[in-house]
Amino acid sequence: MTSPEHQSPDPEPTKPAGSEAPQYKDRVHRSLAGIVGGVLLLAVVGWLGVDAVFAGEGRTPWLALAAMLLLVPLIVAYTLRPAVYVNDDRLRVRNPFRLIVLPWGQVAALRSSFTNEVLTASGAKYQLWALPVSLRARSKANRQEARAAAQVVRTGGDRRGAGASEGPRRHESDRAMDEMRELHERRQDAEAAQGEVTVRWAYEIAAPAVAGAVLLAVLLAMG
């Protein structure tokens, strides 16, 4: 389940500097289930870790600190961090360890199968972690669509009696992908939507996790 928002915490402007066109805030897609799961995991790790630090004996407090230093960044990376920022000029994908900025002119396709992915004109592929695929919801929507079509046939083509006006209830991630495909079709040739794909690694996530892993390995090796 994704949670679309209309205000981006990223200070990066959504229009090129000097552009006279009005600036619009990014539309943000995030996984609500991931956020809830991440908060719960952080609460459990924090509770167990703090208890071990203050009540543990011997090397236990140090092991607890090392484990927290390793686990907390990983939990944040895979649950709270992923987001997809969309505006008229570009698509920004914030995955666990990378931030990928893709101008619409560089996007070749947005593909949905077992995962949601964006493909670039150069052949690179990036997974959209913030838009997980729900195969169950997709199958349910397909069944609803098939039933509505069958009902239309039985009623002689009168869609009003088939409830088809509401359409199948698709998963939020599938609807988000449809919106991005439509925006891509409209904006891929726009002058403001051109540029190069950039990828930045999230060292603020990777560095503490690596430090925690090294510290934990040293403590375990010391016996």
Short mmCIF file of all heavy atoms in Angstrom, two decimals, residues 5-16 23-30 81-96 98-107 110 116-118 120 126-131 177 180 183-184 192-193 196-200:
data_model
loop_
_atom_site.label_atom_id
_atom_site.label_comp_id
_atom_site.label_asym_id
_atom_site.label_seq_id
_atom_site.Cartn_x
_atom_site.Cartn_y
_atom_site.Cartn_z
N GLU A 5 1.78 11.69 -1.19
CA GLU A 5 1.82 12.95 -0.49
C GLU A 5 2.05 14.04 -1.50
O GLU A 5 2.40 13.80 -2.64
CB GLU A 5 2.94 12.94 0.56
CG GLU A 5 2.79 11.77 1.56
CD GLU A 5 4.02 11.64 2.43
OE1 GLU A 5 4.89 12.54 2.37
OE2 GLU A 5 4.11 10.65 3.16
N HIS A 6 1.89 15.28 -1.07
CA HIS A 6 2.03 16.40 -2.00
C HIS A 6 3.12 17.36 -1.60
O HIS A 6 3.30 18.39 -2.23
CB HIS A 6 0.70 17.15 -2.13
CG HIS A 6 -0.37 16.31 -2.75
ND1 HIS A 6 -0.49 16.16 -4.11
CD2 HIS A 6 -1.33 15.56 -2.20
CE1 HIS A 6 -1.52 15.38 -4.38
NE2 HIS A 6 -2.03 15.00 -3.24
N GLN A 7 3.87 17.05 -0.54
CA GLN A 7 4.97 17.92 -0.15
C GLN A 7 6.21 17.09 -0.01
O GLN A 7 6.23 16.10 0.69
CB GLN A 7 4.67 18.63 1.18
CG GLN A 7 3.54 19.65 1.06
CD GLN A 7 3.37 20.44 2.32
OE1 GLN A 7 4.01 20.16 3.32
NE2 GLN A 7 2.52 21.43 2.28
N SER A 8 7.25 17.50 -0.68
CA SER A 8 8.50 16.76 -0.65
C SER A 8 9.43 17.38 0.37
O SER A 8 9.61 18.58 0.41
CB SER A 8 9.15 16.80 -2.04
OG SER A 8 10.48 16.35 -1.95
N PRO A 9 10.08 16.51 1.23
CA PRO A 9 11.05 17.04 2.19
C PRO A 9 12.36 17.41 1.54
O PRO A 9 13.21 18.01 2.14
CB PRO A 9 11.23 15.86 3.16
CG PRO A 9 10.93 14.65 2.35
CD PRO A 9 9.87 15.08 1.36
N ASP A 10 12.56 17.01 0.30
CA ASP A 10 13.81 17.28 -0.40
C ASP A 10 13.81 18.73 -0.86
O ASP A 10 12.90 19.18 -1.53
CB ASP A 10 13.91 16.35 -1.60
CG ASP A 10 15.33 16.31 -2.14
OD1 ASP A 10 15.95 17.38 -2.20
OD2 ASP A 10 15.79 15.22 -2.49
N PRO A 11 14.83 19.49 -0.51
CA PRO A 11 14.85 20.91 -0.86
C PRO A 11 15.14 21.17 -2.33
O PRO A 11 15.12 22.30 -2.77
CB PRO A 11 15.98 21.47 0.01
CG PRO A 11 16.88 20.31 0.22
CD PRO A 11 16.00 19.10 0.30
N GLU A 12 15.43 20.12 -3.11
CA GLU A 12 15.79 20.32 -4.51
C GLU A 12 14.62 20.93 -5.26
O GLU A 12 13.48 20.45 -5.16
CB GLU A 12 16.15 18.97 -5.14
CG GLU A 12 16.52 19.10 -6.60
CD GLU A 12 16.82 17.74 -7.21
OE1 GLU A 12 17.11 16.82 -6.44
OE2 GLU A 12 16.77 17.62 -8.44
N PRO A 13 14.82 21.99 -6.03
CA PRO A 13 13.72 22.59 -6.77
C PRO A 13 13.22 21.66 -7.85
O PRO A 13 13.97 20.85 -8.38
CB PRO A 13 14.33 23.87 -7.37
CG PRO A 13 15.79 23.58 -7.43
CD PRO A 13 16.09 22.68 -6.26
N THR A 14 11.95 21.81 -8.21
CA THR A 14 11.35 20.95 -9.20
C THR A 14 11.42 21.54 -10.59
O THR A 14 11.01 20.91 -11.54
CB THR A 14 9.88 20.68 -8.84
OG1 THR A 14 9.19 21.94 -8.79
CG2 THR A 14 9.78 20.02 -7.49
N LYS A 15 11.93 22.75 -10.73
CA LYS A 15 12.10 23.37 -12.04
C LYS A 15 13.53 23.88 -12.16
O LYS A 15 14.15 24.26 -11.17
CB LYS A 15 11.13 24.54 -12.22
CG LYS A 15 9.67 24.11 -12.31
CD LYS A 15 9.40 23.42 -13.64
CE LYS A 15 7.93 23.02 -13.75
NZ LYS A 15 7.64 22.35 -15.01
N PRO A 16 14.08 23.91 -13.35
CA PRO A 16 15.45 24.42 -13.50
C PRO A 16 15.57 25.86 -13.07
O PRO A 16 14.62 26.64 -13.17
CB PRO A 16 15.70 24.25 -15.01
CG PRO A 16 14.68 23.26 -15.48
CD PRO A 16 13.51 23.44 -14.59
N GLN A 23 6.62 26.68 -10.33
CA GLN A 23 7.20 25.50 -9.71
C GLN A 23 6.12 24.75 -8.93
O GLN A 23 5.36 25.33 -8.18
CB GLN A 23 8.33 25.90 -8.76
CG GLN A 23 9.50 26.56 -9.48
CD GLN A 23 10.63 26.82 -8.54
OE1 GLN A 23 10.58 26.48 -7.37
NE2 GLN A 23 11.67 27.46 -9.05
N TYR A 24 6.08 23.42 -9.14
CA TYR A 24 5.11 22.57 -8.48
C TYR A 24 5.83 21.59 -7.58
O TYR A 24 6.89 21.08 -7.92
CB TYR A 24 4.26 21.82 -9.51
CG TYR A 24 3.49 22.73 -10.43
CD1 TYR A 24 3.96 23.01 -11.71
CD2 TYR A 24 2.31 23.34 -10.01
CE1 TYR A 24 3.27 23.86 -12.55
CE2 TYR A 24 1.62 24.18 -10.85
CZ TYR A 24 2.09 24.44 -12.12
OH TYR A 24 1.41 25.27 -12.96
N LYS A 25 5.25 21.33 -6.42
CA LYS A 25 5.86 20.40 -5.49
C LYS A 25 5.72 18.98 -6.02
O LYS A 25 4.82 18.67 -6.78
CB LYS A 25 5.18 20.52 -4.13
CG LYS A 25 5.41 21.87 -3.51
CD LYS A 25 4.80 21.93 -2.14
CE LYS A 25 4.96 23.33 -1.63
NZ LYS A 25 5.24 23.49 -0.30
N ASP A 26 6.67 18.17 -5.63
CA ASP A 26 6.65 16.77 -6.07
C ASP A 26 5.46 16.04 -5.47
O ASP A 26 5.03 16.32 -4.35
CB ASP A 26 7.92 16.07 -5.60
CG ASP A 26 9.16 16.57 -6.31
OD1 ASP A 26 9.00 17.36 -7.26
OD2 ASP A 26 10.26 16.17 -5.93
N ARG A 27 4.98 15.07 -6.23
CA ARG A 27 4.03 14.11 -5.69
C ARG A 27 4.85 12.94 -5.19
O ARG A 27 5.68 12.39 -5.93
CB ARG A 27 3.04 13.66 -6.76
CG ARG A 27 2.00 12.67 -6.25
CD ARG A 27 0.98 12.34 -7.33
NE ARG A 27 0.00 11.38 -6.86
CZ ARG A 27 -1.07 11.68 -6.16
NH1 ARG A 27 -1.30 12.96 -5.82
NH2 ARG A 27 -1.92 10.76 -5.77
N VAL A 28 4.65 12.54 -3.95
CA VAL A 28 5.49 11.54 -3.31
C VAL A 28 4.69 10.27 -3.07
O VAL A 28 3.58 10.31 -2.55
CB VAL A 28 6.05 12.06 -1.96
CG1 VAL A 28 7.04 11.06 -1.38
CG2 VAL A 28 6.70 13.41 -2.14
N HIS A 29 5.27 9.14 -3.47
CA HIS A 29 4.67 7.83 -3.22
C HIS A 29 5.57 7.06 -2.26
O HIS A 29 6.77 6.93 -2.49
CB HIS A 29 4.51 7.05 -4.52
CG HIS A 29 3.60 7.71 -5.51
ND1 HIS A 29 2.22 7.67 -5.38
CD2 HIS A 29 3.85 8.42 -6.63
CE1 HIS A 29 1.68 8.32 -6.39
NE2 HIS A 29 2.64 8.79 -7.15
N ARG A 30 4.96 6.57 -1.19
CA ARG A 30 5.69 5.77 -0.21
C ARG A 30 4.83 4.59 0.20
O ARG A 30 3.60 4.61 0.04
CB ARG A 30 6.06 6.61 1.02
CG ARG A 30 6.79 7.90 0.68
CD ARG A 30 7.20 8.66 1.91
NE ARG A 30 8.32 8.04 2.61
CZ ARG A 30 8.90 8.55 3.67
NH1 ARG A 30 8.47 9.70 4.17
NH2 ARG A 30 9.90 7.95 4.25
N ARG A 81 13.04 4.75 4.35
CA ARG A 81 13.70 5.57 3.34
C ARG A 81 13.07 5.52 1.95
O ARG A 81 12.95 6.56 1.29
CB ARG A 81 15.18 5.18 3.26
CG ARG A 81 15.94 5.90 2.16
CD ARG A 81 17.40 5.49 2.13
NE ARG A 81 18.03 5.91 0.88
CZ ARG A 81 18.47 7.13 0.65
NH1 ARG A 81 18.38 8.05 1.57
NH2 ARG A 81 19.03 7.43 -0.51
N PRO A 82 12.65 4.36 1.43
CA PRO A 82 12.19 4.30 0.04
C PRO A 82 11.04 5.26 -0.26
O PRO A 82 10.08 5.36 0.50
CB PRO A 82 11.74 2.84 -0.12
CG PRO A 82 12.56 2.08 0.87
CD PRO A 82 12.68 3.00 2.04
N ALA A 83 11.17 5.99 -1.37
CA ALA A 83 10.14 6.92 -1.82
C ALA A 83 10.34 7.19 -3.29
O ALA A 83 11.45 7.05 -3.81
CB ALA A 83 10.20 8.23 -1.01
N VAL A 84 9.27 7.57 -3.97
CA VAL A 84 9.33 7.95 -5.37
C VAL A 84 8.75 9.36 -5.49
O VAL A 84 7.60 9.60 -5.10
CB VAL A 84 8.53 6.98 -6.26
CG1 VAL A 84 8.50 7.48 -7.71
CG2 VAL A 84 9.14 5.58 -6.21
N TYR A 85 9.55 10.29 -5.99
CA TYR A 85 9.15 11.69 -6.16
C TYR A 85 8.88 11.94 -7.64
O TYR A 85 9.73 11.66 -8.49
CB TYR A 85 10.24 12.63 -5.66
CG TYR A 85 10.61 12.44 -4.21
CD1 TYR A 85 11.54 11.47 -3.83
CD2 TYR A 85 10.04 13.24 -3.22
CE1 TYR A 85 11.88 11.30 -2.49
CE2 TYR A 85 10.38 13.07 -1.89
CZ TYR A 85 11.30 12.10 -1.54
OH TYR A 85 11.64 11.92 -0.21
N VAL A 86 7.72 12.48 -7.94
CA VAL A 86 7.30 12.66 -9.33
C VAL A 86 6.92 14.12 -9.56
O VAL A 86 6.16 14.70 -8.77
CB VAL A 86 6.09 11.76 -9.67
CG1 VAL A 86 5.73 11.88 -11.14
CG2 VAL A 86 6.38 10.30 -9.30
N ASN A 87 7.46 14.72 -10.63
CA ASN A 87 6.97 16.02 -11.07
C ASN A 87 7.00 16.06 -12.59
O ASN A 87 7.29 15.05 -13.25
CB ASN A 87 7.75 17.18 -10.44
CG ASN A 87 9.23 17.18 -10.81
OD1 ASN A 87 9.60 16.88 -11.95
ND2 ASN A 87 10.08 17.51 -9.85
N ASP A 88 6.72 17.21 -13.18
CA ASP A 88 6.60 17.31 -14.63
C ASP A 88 7.92 17.11 -15.36
O ASP A 88 7.92 16.81 -16.55
CB ASP A 88 6.02 18.68 -15.02
CG ASP A 88 4.53 18.77 -14.76
OD1 ASP A 88 3.91 17.72 -14.48
OD2 ASP A 88 3.99 19.89 -14.82
N ASP A 89 9.04 17.27 -14.67
CA ASP A 89 10.34 17.23 -15.34
C ASP A 89 11.12 15.95 -15.11
O ASP A 89 11.89 15.55 -15.97
CB ASP A 89 11.20 18.42 -14.89
CG ASP A 89 10.59 19.75 -15.28
OD1 ASP A 89 9.76 19.76 -16.22
OD2 ASP A 89 10.91 20.76 -14.63
N ARG A 90 10.92 15.34 -13.96
CA ARG A 90 11.78 14.20 -13.64
C ARG A 90 11.12 13.26 -12.65
O ARG A 90 10.14 13.59 -11.99
CB ARG A 90 13.11 14.69 -13.06
CG ARG A 90 12.97 15.47 -11.77
CD ARG A 90 14.31 15.99 -11.28
NE ARG A 90 14.86 16.94 -12.22
CZ ARG A 90 14.56 18.24 -12.20
NH1 ARG A 90 13.73 18.72 -11.29
NH2 ARG A 90 15.09 19.06 -13.07
N LEU A 91 11.73 12.10 -12.56
CA LEU A 91 11.35 11.07 -11.60
C LEU A 91 12.54 10.83 -10.70
O LEU A 91 13.65 10.59 -11.18
CB LEU A 91 10.98 9.78 -12.35
CG LEU A 91 10.65 8.53 -11.53
CD1 LEU A 91 9.33 8.72 -10.78
CD2 LEU A 91 10.55 7.31 -12.43
N ARG A 92 12.33 10.96 -9.40
CA ARG A 92 13.42 10.71 -8.44
C ARG A 92 13.06 9.48 -7.63
O ARG A 92 12.01 9.43 -7.00
CB ARG A 92 13.64 11.91 -7.53
CG ARG A 92 14.33 13.06 -8.23
CD ARG A 92 14.64 14.19 -7.27
NE ARG A 92 13.41 14.81 -6.79
CZ ARG A 92 13.26 15.34 -5.58
NH1 ARG A 92 14.25 15.28 -4.71
NH2 ARG A 92 12.13 15.91 -5.23
N VAL A 93 13.95 8.51 -7.65
CA VAL A 93 13.71 7.23 -6.98
C VAL A 93 14.68 7.11 -5.80
O VAL A 93 15.90 7.04 -5.99
CB VAL A 93 13.92 6.06 -7.96
CG1 VAL A 93 13.66 4.73 -7.25
CG2 VAL A 93 13.02 6.21 -9.17
N ARG A 94 14.13 7.10 -4.60
CA ARG A 94 14.97 6.95 -3.41
C ARG A 94 14.84 5.52 -2.92
O ARG A 94 13.86 5.14 -2.29
CB ARG A 94 14.54 7.94 -2.31
CG ARG A 94 15.57 8.07 -1.19
CD ARG A 94 15.23 9.20 -0.26
NE ARG A 94 14.08 8.90 0.57
CZ ARG A 94 13.49 9.75 1.39
NH1 ARG A 94 13.95 10.98 1.48
NH2 ARG A 94 12.45 9.41 2.12
N ASN A 95 15.82 4.72 -3.26
CA ASN A 95 15.88 3.32 -2.86
C ASN A 95 16.71 3.17 -1.60
O ASN A 95 17.27 4.15 -1.10
CB ASN A 95 16.45 2.49 -4.02
CG ASN A 95 15.41 2.21 -5.09
OD1 ASN A 95 14.21 2.33 -4.86
ND2 ASN A 95 15.87 1.85 -6.28
N PRO A 96 16.81 1.96 -1.04
CA PRO A 96 17.52 1.80 0.23
C PRO A 96 18.91 2.42 0.29
O PRO A 96 19.27 3.04 1.28
CB PRO A 96 17.56 0.27 0.40
CG PRO A 96 16.32 -0.20 -0.26
CD PRO A 96 16.13 0.70 -1.43
N ARG A 98 20.46 4.11 -2.66
CA ARG A 98 20.76 5.00 -3.77
C ARG A 98 19.62 5.99 -3.99
O ARG A 98 18.47 5.71 -3.70
CB ARG A 98 21.00 4.21 -5.07
CG ARG A 98 22.24 3.39 -5.08
CD ARG A 98 22.52 2.80 -6.45
NE ARG A 98 21.49 1.87 -6.88
CZ ARG A 98 21.51 1.21 -8.03
NH1 ARG A 98 22.52 1.40 -8.87
NH2 ARG A 98 20.56 0.37 -8.35
N LEU A 99 19.98 7.15 -4.54
CA LEU A 99 19.01 8.13 -5.01
C LEU A 99 19.25 8.31 -6.50
O LEU A 99 20.32 8.75 -6.92
CB LEU A 99 19.16 9.47 -4.28
CG LEU A 99 18.27 10.60 -4.80
CD1 LEU A 99 16.79 10.28 -4.55
CD2 LEU A 99 18.63 11.93 -4.14
N ILE A 100 18.25 7.94 -7.30
CA ILE A 100 18.38 8.00 -8.76
C ILE A 100 17.46 9.10 -9.28
O ILE A 100 16.26 9.10 -8.98
CB ILE A 100 18.00 6.66 -9.41
CG1 ILE A 100 18.81 5.51 -8.79
CG2 ILE A 100 18.21 6.71 -10.91
CD1 ILE A 100 18.05 4.65 -7.85
N VAL A 101 18.03 10.03 -10.04
CA VAL A 101 17.25 11.11 -10.65
C VAL A 101 17.18 10.86 -12.15
O VAL A 101 18.21 10.78 -12.83
CB VAL A 101 17.89 12.48 -10.36
CG1 VAL A 101 17.06 13.59 -11.00
CG2 VAL A 101 18.02 12.71 -8.86
N LEU A 102 15.95 10.71 -12.67
CA LEU A 102 15.75 10.37 -14.07
C LEU A 102 14.86 11.41 -14.73
O LEU A 102 13.65 11.44 -14.49
CB LEU A 102 15.09 8.99 -14.20
CG LEU A 102 15.80 7.83 -13.50
CD1 LEU A 102 14.99 7.37 -12.30
CD2 LEU A 102 15.97 6.65 -14.46
N PRO A 103 15.42 12.28 -15.57
CA PRO A 103 14.57 13.16 -16.37
C PRO A 103 13.66 12.31 -17.26
O PRO A 103 14.06 11.24 -17.74
CB PRO A 103 15.58 13.97 -17.20
CG PRO A 103 16.87 13.85 -16.45
CD PRO A 103 16.85 12.51 -15.81
N TRP A 104 12.45 12.79 -17.51
CA TRP A 104 11.50 12.00 -18.29
C TRP A 104 12.05 11.68 -19.68
O TRP A 104 11.73 10.65 -20.27
CB TRP A 104 10.17 12.73 -18.41
CG TRP A 104 9.37 12.75 -17.15
CD1 TRP A 104 8.95 13.84 -16.45
CD2 TRP A 104 8.86 11.61 -16.43
NE1 TRP A 104 8.24 13.45 -15.33
CE2 TRP A 104 8.17 12.09 -15.30
CE3 TRP A 104 8.96 10.23 -16.63
CZ2 TRP A 104 7.55 11.25 -14.39
CZ3 TRP A 104 8.34 9.39 -15.71
CH2 TRP A 104 7.65 9.89 -14.61
N GLY A 105 12.88 12.55 -20.21
CA GLY A 105 13.45 12.30 -21.53
C GLY A 105 14.38 11.11 -21.56
O GLY A 105 14.65 10.56 -22.63
N GLN A 106 14.90 10.68 -20.39
CA GLN A 106 15.79 9.54 -20.32
C GLN A 106 15.07 8.25 -19.94
O GLN A 106 15.69 7.19 -19.92
CB GLN A 106 16.90 9.81 -19.29
CG GLN A 106 17.89 10.87 -19.70
CD GLN A 106 18.75 10.43 -20.86
OE1 GLN A 106 19.04 9.25 -21.03
NE2 GLN A 106 19.16 11.38 -21.70
N VAL A 107 13.79 8.34 -19.63
CA VAL A 107 13.01 7.16 -19.24
C VAL A 107 12.49 6.47 -20.49
O VAL A 107 11.81 7.08 -21.32
CB VAL A 107 11.85 7.54 -18.31
CG1 VAL A 107 10.96 6.33 -18.03
CG2 VAL A 107 12.38 8.12 -17.00
N LEU A 110 8.19 2.28 -18.01
CA LEU A 110 7.89 1.94 -16.62
C LEU A 110 7.21 0.57 -16.66
O LEU A 110 6.13 0.43 -17.23
CB LEU A 110 6.98 2.99 -15.99
CG LEU A 110 7.66 4.34 -15.73
CD1 LEU A 110 6.65 5.48 -15.80
CD2 LEU A 110 8.35 4.34 -14.37
N ASN A 116 7.96 -3.36 -9.57
CA ASN A 116 7.79 -2.16 -10.40
C ASN A 116 9.18 -1.60 -10.70
O ASN A 116 9.98 -1.40 -9.78
CB ASN A 116 6.94 -1.12 -9.68
CG ASN A 116 5.48 -1.53 -9.62
OD1 ASN A 116 4.91 -1.98 -10.61
ND2 ASN A 116 4.86 -1.37 -8.46
N GLU A 117 9.44 -1.34 -11.98
CA GLU A 117 10.77 -0.93 -12.40
C GLU A 117 10.68 0.21 -13.41
O GLU A 117 9.67 0.36 -14.11
CB GLU A 117 11.51 -2.10 -13.06
CG GLU A 117 11.65 -3.32 -12.18
CD GLU A 117 12.09 -4.56 -12.94
OE1 GLU A 117 11.87 -4.60 -14.18
OE2 GLU A 117 12.63 -5.48 -12.30
N VAL A 118 11.77 0.99 -13.48
CA VAL A 118 11.90 2.02 -14.50
C VAL A 118 13.13 1.67 -15.34
O VAL A 118 14.18 1.34 -14.80
CB VAL A 118 12.02 3.43 -13.87
CG1 VAL A 118 13.17 3.51 -12.88
CG2 VAL A 118 12.19 4.48 -14.97
N THR A 120 15.75 2.89 -18.43
CA THR A 120 16.27 4.10 -19.06
C THR A 120 16.58 3.85 -20.53
O THR A 120 16.66 2.70 -20.99
CB THR A 120 17.53 4.59 -18.35
OG1 THR A 120 18.60 3.67 -18.60
CG2 THR A 120 17.30 4.71 -16.84
N TYR A 126 16.09 0.20 -12.82
CA TYR A 126 16.07 0.52 -11.40
C TYR A 126 14.72 0.08 -10.82
O TYR A 126 13.66 0.40 -11.36
CB TYR A 126 16.26 2.02 -11.17
CG TYR A 126 17.55 2.54 -11.74
CD1 TYR A 126 17.56 3.23 -12.95
CD2 TYR A 126 18.76 2.34 -11.09
CE1 TYR A 126 18.75 3.71 -13.49
CE2 TYR A 126 19.95 2.81 -11.62
CZ TYR A 126 19.94 3.50 -12.82
OH TYR A 126 21.11 3.97 -13.35
N GLN A 127 14.79 -0.63 -9.71
CA GLN A 127 13.57 -1.07 -9.04
C GLN A 127 13.00 0.04 -8.19
O GLN A 127 13.74 0.82 -7.57
CB GLN A 127 13.88 -2.29 -8.16
CG GLN A 127 12.65 -2.90 -7.49
CD GLN A 127 13.00 -4.16 -6.71
OE1 GLN A 127 14.05 -4.76 -6.91
NE2 GLN A 127 12.13 -4.55 -5.82
N LEU A 128 11.66 0.14 -8.14
CA LEU A 128 10.99 1.14 -7.33
C LEU A 128 10.59 0.50 -6.01
O LEU A 128 9.51 -0.08 -5.87
CB LEU A 128 9.75 1.69 -8.07
CG LEU A 128 9.99 2.23 -9.48
CD1 LEU A 128 8.69 2.75 -10.08
CD2 LEU A 128 11.04 3.34 -9.45
N TRP A 129 11.48 0.61 -5.02
CA TRP A 129 11.24 -0.04 -3.73
C TRP A 129 10.01 0.52 -3.02
O TRP A 129 9.36 -0.19 -2.25
CB TRP A 129 12.47 0.14 -2.84
CG TRP A 129 13.58 -0.81 -3.15
CD1 TRP A 129 14.51 -0.69 -4.14
CD2 TRP A 129 13.88 -2.04 -2.48
NE1 TRP A 129 15.37 -1.76 -4.14
CE2 TRP A 129 15.02 -2.60 -3.13
CE3 TRP A 129 13.32 -2.71 -1.40
CZ2 TRP A 129 15.58 -3.81 -2.71
CZ3 TRP A 129 13.88 -3.90 -0.99
CH2 TRP A 129 15.00 -4.44 -1.63
N ALA A 130 9.70 1.78 -3.25
CA ALA A 130 8.58 2.40 -2.55
C ALA A 130 7.22 1.98 -3.11
O ALA A 130 6.20 2.29 -2.51
CB ALA A 130 8.69 3.93 -2.61
N LEU A 131 7.22 1.29 -4.26
CA LEU A 131 5.98 0.85 -4.88
C LEU A 131 5.98 -0.67 -5.01
O LEU A 131 6.17 -1.21 -6.10
CB LEU A 131 5.81 1.51 -6.25
CG LEU A 131 5.66 3.02 -6.26
CD1 LEU A 131 5.66 3.55 -7.69
CD2 LEU A 131 4.38 3.44 -5.53
N MET A 177 1.73 3.66 -10.88
CA MET A 177 2.47 3.38 -12.11
C MET A 177 1.72 3.89 -13.33
O MET A 177 2.32 4.43 -14.27
CB MET A 177 2.72 1.87 -12.22
CG MET A 177 3.69 1.31 -11.20
SD MET A 177 5.38 1.93 -11.39
CE MET A 177 5.88 1.06 -12.88
N MET A 180 2.25 7.62 -13.58
CA MET A 180 3.59 7.96 -14.05
C MET A 180 3.75 7.67 -15.54
O MET A 180 4.44 8.40 -16.25
CB MET A 180 4.63 7.21 -13.22
CG MET A 180 4.78 7.75 -11.80
SD MET A 180 6.18 7.06 -10.90
CE MET A 180 5.62 5.38 -10.63
N LEU A 183 2.15 10.56 -17.34
CA LEU A 183 2.99 11.75 -17.25
C LEU A 183 4.22 11.62 -18.15
O LEU A 183 4.64 12.58 -18.80
CB LEU A 183 3.40 11.98 -15.80
CG LEU A 183 4.19 13.26 -15.49
CD1 LEU A 183 3.41 14.50 -15.94
CD2 LEU A 183 4.50 13.34 -14.00
N HIS A 184 4.78 10.43 -18.19
CA HIS A 184 5.94 10.18 -19.05
C HIS A 184 5.58 10.40 -20.51
O HIS A 184 6.36 11.01 -21.27
CB HIS A 184 6.44 8.76 -18.83
CG HIS A 184 7.49 8.32 -19.80
ND1 HIS A 184 7.36 7.20 -20.58
CD2 HIS A 184 8.69 8.87 -20.12
CE1 HIS A 184 8.43 7.07 -21.34
NE2 HIS A 184 9.25 8.06 -21.09
N ALA A 192 12.27 20.95 -20.70
CA ALA A 192 12.65 20.93 -19.29
C ALA A 192 12.82 19.52 -18.74
O ALA A 192 13.35 19.35 -17.64
CB ALA A 192 11.60 21.68 -18.46
N ALA A 193 12.37 18.51 -19.49
CA ALA A 193 12.43 17.13 -19.02
C ALA A 193 13.62 16.37 -19.61
O ALA A 193 13.63 15.14 -19.61
CB ALA A 193 11.13 16.40 -19.36
N GLU A 196 20.62 14.30 -17.89
CA GLU A 196 21.32 13.05 -17.66
C GLU A 196 20.79 12.36 -16.41
O GLU A 196 20.35 13.02 -15.46
CB GLU A 196 22.82 13.28 -17.52
CG GLU A 196 23.48 13.87 -18.76
CD GLU A 196 23.41 12.93 -19.95
OE1 GLU A 196 23.46 11.70 -19.74
OE2 GLU A 196 23.32 13.43 -21.09
N VAL A 197 20.86 11.05 -16.42
CA VAL A 197 20.51 10.27 -15.24
C VAL A 197 21.65 10.37 -14.23
O VAL A 197 22.82 10.21 -14.59
CB VAL A 197 20.27 8.79 -15.60
CG1 VAL A 197 20.00 7.96 -14.35
CG2 VAL A 197 19.11 8.67 -16.59
N THR A 198 21.32 10.66 -12.98
CA THR A 198 22.34 10.74 -11.93
C THR A 198 22.01 9.75 -10.82
O THR A 198 20.83 9.53 -10.50
CB THR A 198 22.43 12.16 -11.34
OG1 THR A 198 21.17 12.52 -10.75
CG2 THR A 198 22.79 13.17 -12.41
N VAL A 199 23.04 9.17 -10.26
CA VAL A 199 22.89 8.19 -9.18
C VAL A 199 23.81 8.60 -8.03
O VAL A 199 25.00 8.81 -8.23
CB VAL A 199 23.24 6.76 -9.65
CG1 VAL A 199 23.10 5.78 -8.50
CG2 VAL A 199 22.36 6.35 -10.83
N ARG A 200 23.24 8.72 -6.84
CA ARG A 200 24.04 9.06 -5.66
C ARG A 200 23.85 7.98 -4.61
O ARG A 200 22.72 7.59 -4.29
CB ARG A 200 23.59 10.41 -5.07
CG ARG A 200 24.44 10.84 -3.87
CD ARG A 200 23.96 12.15 -3.29
NE ARG A 200 22.69 12.02 -2.58
CZ ARG A 200 22.58 11.60 -1.31
NH1 ARG A 200 23.66 11.26 -0.62
NH2 ARG A 200 21.40 11.51 -0.75
#
